Amino acid sequence: MKPFRDRLSIGRPLIGLWQALANGYASEICARAGYDWLLFDGEHSPNTLQTLLSQLQAVAPFTVDPYSVEPIARVPVGDPVVIKQYLDIGFRTLLIPMMESAEQAEAVVAATRFPPFGVRGVASATSRASGFGADAAYLKTAHEFITLIVQIESRAGLDAIEDIAAVKGVDALFIGPADLAGSLGHLGDPKHADVQSAIAQALKRIAAAGKPSGIFALSPEDARAKMADGVSFISIGTDIGLLANGARSSLASVKG
Ligand code: 3PY
Ligand code: MG
């Protein structure tokens, strides 16, 4: 399957769903639903490497045609040790939260590359990413398949958009409305006009910098509006949201 970065320019926004239940069975259900990508969250969900691995294994059949869902992992922090562990178990598309400078972006790019292009620690025969050694070219070709997405979700991140977008190896920039709202003084209110205007500006600047943008939509209406604004990929909800809302409305429909 093509690297996710190639699919970002296919001419329609790629629609994704956040996976926060940290459970392979739930991921398998979502993978079968036909989303373009699923985001496995290591930042705000009760995930360990083991739960991430079991979710990757559960969705593996759907990562090839005709389903072709891309598993994306969000690391808890852009740390080289965490990044190599996520790559070793087989994630090839990563989302790095809280990106605020070109230096930080260069460091995470380096963490995804083996020497001499970076500092990724070397395991090949023992890593799931290399097919447990079956892919003899893995060390030389791994970087070709890695897509690195960084999150802009603070005032400092907004200020550094052009610098971050210019870093070679940064494939896309993703806006985090919840943290951005907090950083801009509107905690819990990402729909606030000031936050939405900052997001609109940010999306324009990312496009002007020549990089694809992504965002977490706040509602189906917001998703449609952001897709019309030209985002390349968009999350339209979470597995927890689907379950919680379904559970509540099912109860309400009977109770009246
Ligand atoms: C945020 O909104 O802050 C996120 O990280 C997810 O989109
Ligand atoms: Mg966030």
Side-chain angles (χ1 to χ4, degrees):
M1 200 173 127
K2 284 184 176 174
F4 190 63
R5 82 175 97 84
D6 289 357
R7 295 176 61 205
L8 287 172
S9 52
I10 61 172
R12 69 165 176 87
L14 301 174
I15 299 178
L17 186 68
W18 229 247
Q19 300 290 286
L21 284 169
N23 178 278
Y25 211 51
S27 308
E28 187 178 354
I29 295 169
C30 295
R32 194 175 271 277
Y35 288 88
D36 296 305
W37 53 278
L38 298 176
L39 184 291
F40 298 90
D41 193 6
E43 187 191 18
H44 285 298
S45 302
N47 267 312
T48 62
L49 276 180
Q50 288 293 339
T51 62
L52 290 164
L53 172 61
S54 65
Q55 289 167 92
L56 260 183
Q57 290 171 325
V59 304
F62 307 97
T63 61
V64 290
D65 288 338
Y67 300 99
S68 293
V69 61
E70 179 77 8
I72 306 177
R74 177 161 72 174
V75 294
V77 58
D79 176 87
V81 174
V82 178
I83 288 173
K84 76 180 157 192
Q85 290 180 315
Y86 276 48
L87 292 176
D88 281 351
I89 62 171
F91 285 109
R92 53 177 215 159
T93 301
L94 296 181
L95 179 64
I96 316 287
M98 304 286 177
M99 191 55 56
E100 300 195 327
S101 70
E103 294 70 33
Q104 216 188 329
E106 280 159 9
V108 295
V109 171
T112 65
R113 267 63 169 168
F114 291 121
F117 305 108
V119 297
R120 179 176 170 192
V122 180
S124 59
T126 54
S127 83
R128 181 171 178 272
S130 73
F132 308 104
D135 179 357
Y138 182 71
L139 295 180
K140 294 251 177 330
T141 59
H143 62 280
E144 292 171 22
F145 298 95
I146 287 170
T147 299
L148 187 65
I149 306 164
V150 299
Q151 263 192 281
I152 303 296
E153 46 184 353
S154 65
R155 196 182 290 280
L158 289 179
D159 290 344
I161 282 179
E162 282 77 12
D163 294 347
I164 292 168
V167 172
K168 194 163 175 280
V170 168
D171 295 305
L173 284 74
F174 185 93
I175 307 283
D179 276 301
L180 190 58
S183 177
L184 298 182
H186 300 289
L187 181 66
D189 189 12
K191 291 185 177 162
H192 192 283
D194 292 351
V195 182
Q196 287 302 313
S197 137
I199 289 174
Q201 293 301 319
L203 293 176
K204 282 195 190 122
R205 287 167 56 202
I206 296 167
K211 290 274 158 96
S213 63
I215 195 162
F216 187 97
L218 304 173
S219 64
E221 297 71 37
D222 185 42
R224 282 190 287 273
K226 296 296 187 298
M227 290 195 279
D229 285 347
V231 295
S232 297
F233 60 120
I234 189 158
S235 164
I236 60 164
T238 70
D239 54 2
I240 288 190
L242 295 176
L243 184 58
N245 293 336
R248 286 182 202 118
S249 69
S250 172
L251 183 60
S253 70
V254 172
K255 279 173 114 180

